[in-house]
Amino acid sequence: MANNRLALITGASAGLGAEFARQYAAKGWDVALTARRLDRLDALARELEEKHKIATITISQDLALVKGVDTILRELKEAGRYVDALVNNAGYGLPGTFFDTSWKDQAAFIRVLYTAPIELVHKVLPGMVERKFGRIINVASLAGYAPGASGHTLYGSVKAGLIKFSESVHAEAQAAGHNIHCTALCPGFTRTEFHDANGTREAADQSPDWIWMKAGPVVEAGIEAVTKGQPVVVPGAVNKGLATLTKLVPEPLGRAVMKQQSKRFWMKDGD
Ligand SMILES: NC(=O)c1ccc[n+]([C@@H]2O[C@H](COP(=O)([O-])OP(=O)(O)OC[C@H]3O[C@@H](n4cnc5c(N)ncnc54)[C@H](OP(=O)(O)O)[C@@H]3O)[C@@H](O)[C@H]2O)c1
């Protein structure tokens, strides 16, 4: 079991992260699970150990903390393990507009969704280069393709940044011949706890059924893409169509549609 490859998955206590853990474990990988809610991580770890006879490590950590990444990597090192696959998945949406949200909340958001994933990639890469194997999935979003939203201003920005970052890391690793693949996974609406966590469940539930995907096929697409060495993947036919549309629709029209639609999701009552 200690000879299995290890996948480190952030945000593994719910949604896509828990599904990544289930799918990697089903493939015989050991998994290191991190998020803040340790009870959930421990319950998932027990489930996966029993079902797949793999080894697990659980680490409770808030990625908004400056020491978050180092603490996770130190705990792995103390357990004598190194990262073969990294899934940067932890994330949430910050409700409200940029104008009326505190800098403390915005700074924590940038750290969890952008700085911490990049820091993790930077710090696991040397080991991957040394062992000539690495698989990195950065969970971005279809929002990274769309024009800027009126409200929740940084979400699309950090996700767009993660897409470009993933492409560049992938290109750099390929150029150097390291056998390291890096993929940005860009889901659209996916049934997880995301919309409960950011208070947009009611608005999200008004979206038609056909626009939603389950976590299973989204994660499957991410793992398949990183295995093949595909730098960006948009899961599902509907999301692929929407991603293509963002490139074809004239920019002023795209911005107008986004402004009208985003109001439903990101603005507080009365805004
Ligand atoms: N669901 C969608 O429609 C959708 C669409 C596009 C992209 N995404 C992206 O998919 C990723 C996963 O989201 P999800 O849909 O699976 O949402 P979710 O079910 O709400 O899960 C979010 C995970 O992130 C963790 N997390 C949140 N804040 C954290 C912090 N400060 N430190 C450490 N972990 C933290 C949560 O764990 P704890 O609360 O236990 O810390 C939880 O495990 C996110 O990056 C999101 O932006 C989601």
Side-chain angles (χ1 to χ4, degrees), residues 10-20 34-41 59-65 72 88-93 108-109 111-113 138-143 152 155 158-159 162 185-198 201 204 212-213 215 218:
T10 71
S13 63
L16 290 170
E19 182 61 25
F20 268 111
T34 183
R36 290 166 301 182
R37 288 170 292 181
L38 188 59
D39 54 337
R40 283 186 175 217
L41 297 177
I59 304 166
S60 168
Q61 188 56 227
D62 184 347
L63 284 173
L65 301 177
I72 292 168
N88 271 318
N89 162 78
Y92 58 97
F109 179 83
R111 181 157 284 284
V112 176
L113 279 92
N138 293 315
V139 181
S141 170
L142 206 51
H152 193 31
Y155 190 80
V158 300
K159 295 303 191 182
L162 271 187
L185 169 64
C186 306
F189 282 107
T190 310
R191 296 207 187 273
T192 64
E193 295 173 25
F194 183 87
H195 296 93
D196 304 304
N198 75 2
R201 169 58 58 207
W212 289 91
M213 282 184 77
V218 171

Side-chain angles (χ1 to χ4, degrees), residues 146-157:
S150 57
H152 193 31
T153 310
L154 279 175
Y155 190 80
S157 310

